[in-house]
Amino acid sequence: MSDEPKSKNITWHHGDVTQADREKCHGHKAAVLWYTGLSGSGKSTLAQAVQTALFERDCETYVLDGDNVRHGLNNNLGFSPEDRTENIRRIGEVAKLFADAGIITSTAFISPYRADRDEARKISGDMFCEIWVDADLAICEERDTKGLYKKARAGEIPEFTGISAPYEEPKNAELVVNTGKDNLEECVKQVLAMLTEKGILS
Amino acid sequence: MSDEPKSKNITWHHGDVTQADREKCHGHKAAVLWYTGLSGSGKSTLAQAVQTALFERDCETYVLDGDNVRHGLNNNLGFSPEDRTENIRRIGEVAKLFADAGIITSTAFISPYRADRDEARKISGDMFCEIWVDADLAICEERDTKGLYKKARAGEIPEFTGISAPYEEPKNAELVVNTGKDNLEECVKQVLAMLTEKGILS
């Protein structure tokens, strides 16, 4: 900072706060945990539970999901192929901003297309961890937490992932969790173990 | 969290981390500091300097500015009236997400139109603090930190705020700082004083 008044033509000096500064202060590395999977697979639930576990360890963490993104940032997007791609792109860009702030950032969206997820991976680079929340369609449909499968089967929702639109399974996910087999606590442990293995948590 | 395996039809329980939880943990309230003013008025410089001061006080803080937003989230927007409005809308929505994470969030964009700023204010509600970085056009043009005024005067940049496009001055800004009169350190103090007065910092 300047230490005397300069009323004009100021070249202001400042040492910007870097991502590394923030990570040091937080005591952990930044990351983008990209949860992907069918509707009802438990992405958002798992992301929230991991967030709670991380918060209890004094980590800085945030979850982007339908609740806070669909009605805000992406409220002008529909469900056309272009809009779906733009939806995921914006989420990927915002996740990068949060990670730049030193935050362990999670995104919980079906994100059914490999190409869109790969774009999100490109945006965040090495910080990106793809977590495939794998659960059999039959299990997701039996849970039907939001009643969407019923509507999709009745033809009320066109292009519903898993029913009338494809889910492209990840080929190189950093982690695969199976919420049909393991309970929530176990799935959280698997995510935390990955974060430790990758040196995001110490 | 469930404490026993349930392989199907799981209704998972979790206590989500709230904004209040985060604020308590951070030791300060969340806020959106919306810096507005002419090109060269010092918005980004001031926002970065305030960020450094806040970081040194162990606050959680982040700055959204042209450097991290224009080439990422808003890289598909041009300079048409619609795109300018959408640019500010997205920034307003992302600022709200950061504030929801308990962060003192700053945005540093010219944001010349009152209607756009008012929309951003609506998005973040009570958390929104408009900071008018007021500096005479003559001073901004003399600084011409990015060489843009020279280009605008030469007609190379159409619709340049202050030259060939309007800047609508704030009517109800929470704070007005004058970077032509006060030096950076003084301006930072004024912002911090406002944060204390509003109970954002304790």
Side-chain angles (χ1 to χ4, degrees), chain A residues 42 45-46 48-50 52-53 56 143 178-189, chain B residues 1-15:
Chain A
T45 301
L46 178 56
Q48 293 288 350
V50 169
T52 300
E56 285 167 358
R143 288 180 189 154
N178 189 321
T179 62
K181 201 175 79 170
D182 298 321
N183 73 355
L184 181 58
E185 200 173 348
E186 179 56 35
C187 293
V188 169
K189 274 184 195 162
Chain B
M1 283 185 219
S2 69
D3 51 8
E4 55 178 18
K6 299 175 184 172
S7 64
K8 289 182 182 180
N9 219 350
I10 298 173
T11 307
W12 277 340
H13 252 272
H14 53 86

Side-chain angles (χ1 to χ4, degrees), chain A residues 155-168:
Chain A
E156 292 167 32
I157 307 175
E159 299 198 63
F160 191 81
T161 301
I163 303 293
S164 45
Y167 178 78
E168 297 177 358

Side-chain angles (χ1 to χ4, degrees), chain B residues 42-63:
Chain B
K43 299 176 298 298
S44 197
T45 302
L46 178 55
Q48 293 287 350
V50 169
Q51 165 160 275
T52 299
L54 289 172
F55 186 78
E56 285 169 357
R57 293 173 176 221
D58 289 329
C59 297
E60 283 297 318
T61 177
Y62 194 67
V63 177

Side-chain angles (χ1 to χ4, degrees), chain A residues 28-169:
Chain A
H28 59 77
K29 298 239 178 206
V32 172
L33 311 185
W34 192 278
Y35 295 87
T36 172
L38 296 174
S39 177
S41 61
K43 298 176 299 297
S44 197
T45 301
L46 178 56
Q48 293 288 350
V50 169
Q51 164 159 273
T52 300
L54 290 171
F55 186 77
E56 285 167 358
R57 292 173 177 222
D58 290 328
C59 297
E60 283 297 318
T61 176
Y62 193 67
V63 177
L64 299 166
D65 63 14
D67 286 344
N68 56 21
V69 168
R70 239 323 156 182
H71 302 289
L73 177 66
N74 290 356
N75 68 5
N76 54 0
L77 297 175
F79 293 90
S80 69
E82 296 76 22
D83 278 10
R84 284 175 187 267
T85 294
E86 173 66 4
N87 180 51
I88 297 301
R89 187 195 72 81
R90 288 189 199 167
I91 292 160
E93 292 287 0
V94 173
K96 185 192 181 180
L97 291 171
F98 270 88
D100 186 48
I103 294 170
I104 299 173
T105 311
S106 296
T107 68
F109 296 88
I110 298 172
S111 47
Y113 297 109
R114 209 172 281 132
D116 292 344
R117 296 194 303 266
D118 286 348
E119 278 305 307
R121 181 184 288 274
K122 269 188 211 162
I123 290 167
S124 287
D126 289 344
M127 298 187 293
F128 193 86
C129 302
E130 192 170 357
I131 300 174
W132 179 16
V133 184
D134 185 18
D136 290 346
L137 176 62
I139 290 176
C140 295
E141 193 165 357
E142 194 184 323
R143 288 180 189 154
D144 206 7
T145 31
K146 298 174 188 168
L148 297 174
Y149 283 97
K150 201 177 164 191
K151 286 185 184 174
R153 289 288 184 194
E156 292 167 32
I157 307 175
E159 299 198 63
F160 191 81
T161 301
I163 303 293
S164 45
Y167 178 78
E168 297 177 358
E169 300 185 347

